[in-house]
């Protein structure tokens, strides 16, 4: 048996260089092209060259100038079966898609080497010289950059370098583009600027839709890309105008000068098609492509076209080649680079270019301002940029926010925002910086296997977070990490391991969401542990080494695997990490700790017991509508959750703040499910007082002046010590600790205990210590994570005036991080209870008045969002107030009127920033206040006049929301946020039966031409209202899904359709109807109720139960069958869209290997006597629909001589043939004659309608 072959031995060759020339035709939405592929054979016996080539028509192909024989199977032409097939034949269509859905996909083009082409050996020096000549591109002055560009191409396998290269030349056309390229603005009535861009995917198969290549992750080569396109925007649309004139233009009637009249008619007709002014038609078209622009010339054969030539000197895989064509404006983002950073980098400073459609240059400057700073930070911290420049291009209708290609990121225009918009600043900046980070890890370095995806995703997000820390500060960084850790603990239940999830991404792209959330956190805690280990500088040095290995070629094929990453971490971290990766990467779930503590006065130790209780947590989680399709696919493919790990091990830092305020750190090693510790105690002094006010009160009672001693206490009482005067206490109705609590606090030997003080775990920790210790942690610990943990604990406690006092002091203290203050505001809503005299609501009102009212007045100040912290507080207080509920489950009228007044009398006239998101917050809060929630009394004692007042107020509130929606039609807000919020409010009110359901509130916004995000918002509202159960709505959604040209709309509609099916499967909206009521009392039924409850649990917690319920609901819906199959077979959908729809078919319908075949009804003969002994015989128009001899079911013997039928034109009629073979007999060919020992045929006649002949 032969030894294992090197990489790419399956193909028998590697690719050294590829040259691609494309001519893009905007009018026909097609392209022509040719490519030259330099093949390096791996062995002399190579006979076949296999290439990926989809949706292309081959015009010419030769190898070294010699014509070969070839086998080409264009897959898209095979993505259809018999016209009479339906959804039950989904498995037959899936079989045709299977070769392209493999990993890697099968090659569609197989070229046999001509006999005249021989593979000859050569010497290494000649090959290196030839390769260097081909790869010659303009070199940068930096020696490091030169080595990076040349080294990968020069390092070839010895086996490949033994033979002379072969040149494969192919000419091709793509007349129908379904994948790989997207045209925008060419539809009639579309007002957007025409442009086009590549639809790159994270999976192989996108590049070969545009040109033949080896489209997998193991083949890297250098590239030369030549793109020919219209010279100006007018040249692009002139093709459309000429085509329209030839086909549709009718000559006009002339009343005077014929020439003038005809010219005017032509101009009007052209204006209707293009919708562009003369200035817009004169805009130059530009091409933004992977690589460096080496030349730009006018086409010598056609002056209306322009040719752009790009070269990529760094080898990359085919799927990382991308480009965009359109009337783009150029923005030099390098001008935002700071002077000191420019001096540090010198000539190594990377140029950053922005490209956008006309009129959006200022938004690009505002949105991408940090990009030059980010690329300099990455370069100085982790290594030089792998390409010579970086480009960001913004386009319309892209399905993803960012798509990364070599040296180019294609971004959705929805990410752009002007300088007066605050809300998306952090979110958008992080997305753009992460797209930049993927140029190092994701483009230059790729995953060796899909399961290694977590490394790439984790490193890219980790270094993005490090930069965001520099940009936004340490508090923002740690607060976000804490929120992400809590989210991972919530979601990582009964899920596969981080390593295994990478292999599931082709199954469902939503698998990537948990990877993007958990992978950087795992690297974050790894960095924390490595940094504490002796002689280690953390993860930054390891990442730098990996990037360096990728540049110099130490990573085979530039592919990184998990094993290599672990070895590098252990080598540079000087520690063994096998257990760490086994638990956090190859294992699933997160630990949950329950900690008990007790101070032993005799031994002067703190006795602690740390228990891991994650194994006691139930793994039965309720199925969610938005994840139902993912769970169903995993169940169908037998993907199982990782086993619950009984014990996570590793070091944990415990910080005990003792009585003198000094923190003492103790590092303990967690080794088992239960860990017992005796931590020594150091302080011998009595515990200090809890607040300055208490200390001053005690000193005043003793007649002691402590004004000179307060300097030592500044660190102890640094936060939450506002509102301390007697007047403020009375005015704010603040509460204080009881005498018993103070006595208990004075007897405590330490202030508080902080578990995992260095954030080395992704876990949930519950510490059994008194509430006042959590308050001490909130007020005295400077770590924002510790403060947030305290707020979480306090918010979970029983409501009381004391809790409200602590929270409002936190809210009012501006020294706290804004995230802590907003969390305190939301927690205050729980204290706004009628039993507590609305104390929490009172504190929220007082806080808003203190911050945002005119002094001594009931009038709100004009908006001023110059301080972002104040802006976040101004948004959070109304949101919190909207959650306040009375005993009847309704919001107090004063809350409703407060929110209504804030919305109605909002004044933004002198604000430098837009208030659209603040208005949206008020609209949403007002809507939530109208909803009755919480626990509801069975009996309603409301007086009629109160009900009438509520009805009048409710109508006024809805009218105010409607006013902003109408205002948005005349003066559009940013991203139509008013309209989207108004639709969301109407959906919520209709869901809660506050107002009657009305589909027409949303339907007008689903029409083509509406802003994409607003359109999707309307569709989402319809789905969440359960309208997908209606046949017409289901049919409409699937029609838009299969016909809409926007990939953004199609991708999200597919997600919404899956979400709607999940909602039906788990029975959302049915639980309330399952319990009959009479006179406000619930009737408990025995027997039948138990079965009903069992079925409800099955459909909400098990996939088989949910799928069974879904099939019962929709399995026989003929409207769904027809609409869904029409979407599956739509020629507009791409490969992965068809795959996802076929997954839905598999879920809903049983496969049936049957086919409806259309045959001819036999027609009778007629005879007519013509006279003189002449008879004319002719076919009758009547078709015979009944057999001459009666058919005996299951005993029909088909004779071979009677199987020949006349070949006349078909009449209306269908015969369904169902094959029923015996179990022991083998299936014969369809054309074989029927014999007793072979399968029998059951004929089912489908008679025509009333208009058919009898």
């Amino acid at each position: 048996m032969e030894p294992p072959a090197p990489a790419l031995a399956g193909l028998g060759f590697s690719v050294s260089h590829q040259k691609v020339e494309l001519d893009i035709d905007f009018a026909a939405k097609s392209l022509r092209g040719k490519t030259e592929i330099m093949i390096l054979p791996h062995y002399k016996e190579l006979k076949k060259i296999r290439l990926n080539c989809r949706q292309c028509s081959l015009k010419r192909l030769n190898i070294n100038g010699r014509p070969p024989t070839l086998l080409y199977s264009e897959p898209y032409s095979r993505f259809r079966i018999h016209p009479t097939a339906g959804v039950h034949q989904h498995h037959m269509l899936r079989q045709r898609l299977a070769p392209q859905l493999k990993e890697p996909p099968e090659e569609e083009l197989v070229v046999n080497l001509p006999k005249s082409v021989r593979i000859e050996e050569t010497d290494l020096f000649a090959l290196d010289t030839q390769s260097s000549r081909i790869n010659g591109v303009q070199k940068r002055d930096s020696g490091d950059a030169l080595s990076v560009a040349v080294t990968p191409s020069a390092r070839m396998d010895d086996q490949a370098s033994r033979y002379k290269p072969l040149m494969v030349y192919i000419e091709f056309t793509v007349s129908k583009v379904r994948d790989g390229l997207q045209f925008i603005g060419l539809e009639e009535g579309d007002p957007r600027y025409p442009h086009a861009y590549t639809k790159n995917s994270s999976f192989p198969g996108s590049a070969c839709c545009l040109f033949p290549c080896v489209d997998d992750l193991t083949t890297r080569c250098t590239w030369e890309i030549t793109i020919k396109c219209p010279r100006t925007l007018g040249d692009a649309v002139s093709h459309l105008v000429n085509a329209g004139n030839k086909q549709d233009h009718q000559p006009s009637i002339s009343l005077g000068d014929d020439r003038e009249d005809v010219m005017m008619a032509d101009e009007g007709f052209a204006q209707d098609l293009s919708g562009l002014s003369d200035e817009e038609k004169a805009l130059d078209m530009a091409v933004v492509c992977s690589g460096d622009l080496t030349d730009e010339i006018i086409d010598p054969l056609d002056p209306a076209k322009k040719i752009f030539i790009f070269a990529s000197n760094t080898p990359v895989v085919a799927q990382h080649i991308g480009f965009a064509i359109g009337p783009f404006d150029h923005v030099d983002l390098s001008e935002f680079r700071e002077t000191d950073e420019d001096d540090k980098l010198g000539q190594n400073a990377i140029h950053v270019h922005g490209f956008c459609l006309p009129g959006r240059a200022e938004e690009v400057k505002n949105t991408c301002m940090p990009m030059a700073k980010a690329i300099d930070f990455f370069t100085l911290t982790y290594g030089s940029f792998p390409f010579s420049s970086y480009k960001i291009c913004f386009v319309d209708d892209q399905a993803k926010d960012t798509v990364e290609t070599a040296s180019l990121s294609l971004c959705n225009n929805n990410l752009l925002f002007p300088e007066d918009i605050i809300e998306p600043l952090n979110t958008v900046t992080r997305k753009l910086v992460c797209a930049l980070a993927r140029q190092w890890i994701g483009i230059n370095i790729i995953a060796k296997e899909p399961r290694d995806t977590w490394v790439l995703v984790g490193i890219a997000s980790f270094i993005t977070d490090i930069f965001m820390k520099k940009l936004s500060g340490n508090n923002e960084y740690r607060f976000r990490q804490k929120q992400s850790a809590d989210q991972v603990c919530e979601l990582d239940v009964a899920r596969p391991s981080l390593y295994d999830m990478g292999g599931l991404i082709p199954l469902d792209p939503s698998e990537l969401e948990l990877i993007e959330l958990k992978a950087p956190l795992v690297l974050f805690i790894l960095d924390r542990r490595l940094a504490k280990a002796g002689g280690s500088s953390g993860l930054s040095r390891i990442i730098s080494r990996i990037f360096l290995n990728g540049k110099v070629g130490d990573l085979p094929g530039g592919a990184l695997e998990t094993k290599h990453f672990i070895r590098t971490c252990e080598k540079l971290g000087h520690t063994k990490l096998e257990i760490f990766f086994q638990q956090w990467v190859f294992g699933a779930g997160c630990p949950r700790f329950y900690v008990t503590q007790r101070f032993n006065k005799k031994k002067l130790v703190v006795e602690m017991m740390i228990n891991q209780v994650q194994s006691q947590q139930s793994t039965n989680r309720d199925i969610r509508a938005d994840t139902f399709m993912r769970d169903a696919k995993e169940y169908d493919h037998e993907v199982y959750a990782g086993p619950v790990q009984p014990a996570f091990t590793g070091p944990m830092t415990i910080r005990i703040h003792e009585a003198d305020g000094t923190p003492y750190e103790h590092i303990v090693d967690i080794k088992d499910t239960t860990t017992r510790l005796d931590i020594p105690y150091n302080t011998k002094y009595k515990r200090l007082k809890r607040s300055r006010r208490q200390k001053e009160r005690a000193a005043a009672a003793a007649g002691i002046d402590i004004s000179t001693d307060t300097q030592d206490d500044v660190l102890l009482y640094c936060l939450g010590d506002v509102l301390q005067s007697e007047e403020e206490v009375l005015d704010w109705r603040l509460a204080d600790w009881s005498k018993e609590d103070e006595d208990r606090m004075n007897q405590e030997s330490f202030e508080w205990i902080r578990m995992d003080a260095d954030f080395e775990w992704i876990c949930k920790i519950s510490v059994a210590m008194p509430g006042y210790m959590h308050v001490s942690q909130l007020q005295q610990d400077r770590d924002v994570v510790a403060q947030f943990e305290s707020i979480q604990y306090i918010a979970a406690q029983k409501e009381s005036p004391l809790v409200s006092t602590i929270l409002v002091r936190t809210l009012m203290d501006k020294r706290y991080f804004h995230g802590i203050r907003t969390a305190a505001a939301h927690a205050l809503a729980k204290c706004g209870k009628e039993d507590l005299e609305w104390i929490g609501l009172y504190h929220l009102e007082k806080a808003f008045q203190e911050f945002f009212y005119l002094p001594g007045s009931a009038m709100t100040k004009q908006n001023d969002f110059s301080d972002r912290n104040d802006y976040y507080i101004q948004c959070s207080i109304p949101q919190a107030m909207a959650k306040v509920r009375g005993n009847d489950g309704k919001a107090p009228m004063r809350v409703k009127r407060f929110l209504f007044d804030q919305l109605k009398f909002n004044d933004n006239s002198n604000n430098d920033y837009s208030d659209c998101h603040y208005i949206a917050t008020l609209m949403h809060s007002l809507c939530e206040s109208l909803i009755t929630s919480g626990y509801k009394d069975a009996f309603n004692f409301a007086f009629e006049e109160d009900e009438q007042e509520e009805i009048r107020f409710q109508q006024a509130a809805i009218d105010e929301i409607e006013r902003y929606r109408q205002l948005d039609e005349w003066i559009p807000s940013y991203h139509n946020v008013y309209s989207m919020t108004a639709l969301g409010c109407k959906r919520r009110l209709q869901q809660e039966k506050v107002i009657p359901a009305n589909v027409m509130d949303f339907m007008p916004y689903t029409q083509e031409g509406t802003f994409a995000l607003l359109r999707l918002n309307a569709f989402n509202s319809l789905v969440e209202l359960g309208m997908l159960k209606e046949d017409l709505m289901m049919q409409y959604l699937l029609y838009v899904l299969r016909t809409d040209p926007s990939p953004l709309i199609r991708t999200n509609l597919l997600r919404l359709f899956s979400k709607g099916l999940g909602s039906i499967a788990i029975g959302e909206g049915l639980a309330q109807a399952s319990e009959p009521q009479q006179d406000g009392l619930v009737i408990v039924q025995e027997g039948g109720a138990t079965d009903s409850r069992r079925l409800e649990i099955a459909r909400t917690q098990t996939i088989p139960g949910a799928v069974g319920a879904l099939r019962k609901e929709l399995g026989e819906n003929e409207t769904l069958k027809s609409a869904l199959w029409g979407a599956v077979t739509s020629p507009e959908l791409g490969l992965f869209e068809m795959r996802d729809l076929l997954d839905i078919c598999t879920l809903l319908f049983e496969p049936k290997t049957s086919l409806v075949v259309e045959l001819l009804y036999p027609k009778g003969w007629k005879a007519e006597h013509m006279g003189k002994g002449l008879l004319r015989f002719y076919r009758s128009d009547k078709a015979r629909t009944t057999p001459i001899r009666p058919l005996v079911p299951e005993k029909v013997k088909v004779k071979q001589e009677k199987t020949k039928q006349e070949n006349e034109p078909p009449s209306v009629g269908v015969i369904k043939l169902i094959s029923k073979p015996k179990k022991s007999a083998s299936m014969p060919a369809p054309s074989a004659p029927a014999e007793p020992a072979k399968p029998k045929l059951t004929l089912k006649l489908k008679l025509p309608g009333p208009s058919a002949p009898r």
Side-chain angles (χ1 to χ4, degrees), residues 929-1029:
S929 70
L930 299 177
I931 297 173
T932 302
S933 60
Y935 56 89
K936 305 174 185 177
D937 292 339
F939 301 98
N940 187 3
F941 295 102
F943 294 101
E944 183 176 354
E945 55 269 21
D946 294 338
E947 291 185 352
Q948 292 300 323
E949 182 185 3
E950 287 191 2
I951 292 174
R952 288 192 298 269
F953 177 82
Q954 175 181 303
Q955 187 59 47
I958 294 175
D959 291 343
E960 187 65 19
I961 293 174
E962 180 68 12
R963 182 176 73 87
Y964 276 98
R965 185 196 65 80
Q966 295 175 355
L967 178 64
D968 202 32
E969 296 179 356
W970 295 98
I971 308 175
S973 57
Y974 173 74
H975 284 181
N976 292 117
V977 67
Y978 290 165
S979 296
M980 288 199 288
T981 306
L983 292 185
C985 292
K986 289 185 177 182
R987 171 182 55 79
R988 284 284 292 144
L989 295 175
Q990 292 181 19
Q991 280 180 314
E992 300 297 331
K993 306 297 189 295
V994 177
I995 60 176
N998 186 3
V999 177
M1000 294 311 299
D1001 287 337
F1002 312 98
M1003 285 298 294
Y1005 292 95
T1006 64
Q1007 299 178 6
E1008 189 174 355
T1010 308
F1011 176 57
L1013 297 183
L1014 178 57
R1015 193 178 176 199
L1016 291 171
N1017 185 290
F1019 274 113
N1020 179 66
S1021 297
L1022 291 171
V1023 170
E1024 293 201 2
L1025 286 172
M1027 296 300 176
L1028 202 61
K1029 298 177 183 178

Side-chain angles (χ1 to χ4, degrees), residues 42-147:
H42 285 182
Y43 45 83
K44 196 170 184 179
E45 295 77 15
L46 180 66
K47 301 298 181 183
K48 299 179 184 293
I49 296 177
R50 299 178 178 271
L51 300 174
N52 298 103
C53 181
R54 303 179 186 175
Q55 70 185 16
C56 298
S57 297
L58 302 183
K59 301 301 180 182
R60 184 182 178 188
L61 191 152
N62 61 60
I63 300 178
N64 287 358
R66 306 294 176 88
T69 60
L70 58 90
L71 177 63
Y72 177 46
S73 176
E74 202 286 301
Y76 286 87
S77 62
R78 296 186 291 106
F79 290 170
R80 59 178 183 269
I81 53 180
H82 197 276
T84 60
V87 288
H88 290 286
Q89 286 75 50
H90 56 81
H91 61 295
M92 301 170 65
L93 182 57
R94 179 180 287 277
Q95 290 175 356
R96 302 199 172 197
L97 271 65
Q100 278 64 48
L101 295 176
K102 290 182 178 179
E103 185 65 34
E106 290 185 3
E107 298 80 13
E108 297 82 10
L109 176 59
V110 180
V111 183
N112 298 312
L113 265 66
K115 295 183 178 179
S116 57
V117 175
R118 296 183 179 180
I119 299 177
E120 300 178 355
E121 294 187 4
T122 184
D123 58 86
L124 181 61
F125 175 78
L127 183 61
D128 285 340
T129 303
Q130 186 176 13
S131 178
S132 300
R133 185 171 60 253
I134 292 175
N135 294 331
V137 181
Q138 296 178 350
K139 301 176 181 178
R140 292 183 288 171
D141 297 334
S142 170
D144 177 67
L146 178 62
S147 64

Side-chain angles (χ1 to χ4, degrees), residues 4-48:
L8 283 181
L11 292 175
F13 63 89
S14 58
V15 179
S16 172
H17 180 76
Q18 183 164 356
K19 180 179 179 181
V20 178
E21 298 182 16
L22 300 176
D23 186 356
I24 310 298
D25 187 349
F26 274 73
K29 296 183 182 179
S30 62
L31 62 90
R32 295 179 302 164
K34 54 186 177 181
T35 182
E36 296 178 1
I37 308 175
M38 176 170 285
I39 299 296
L40 299 179
H42 285 182
Y43 45 83
K44 196 170 184 179
E45 295 77 15
L46 180 66
K47 301 298 181 183
K48 299 179 184 293

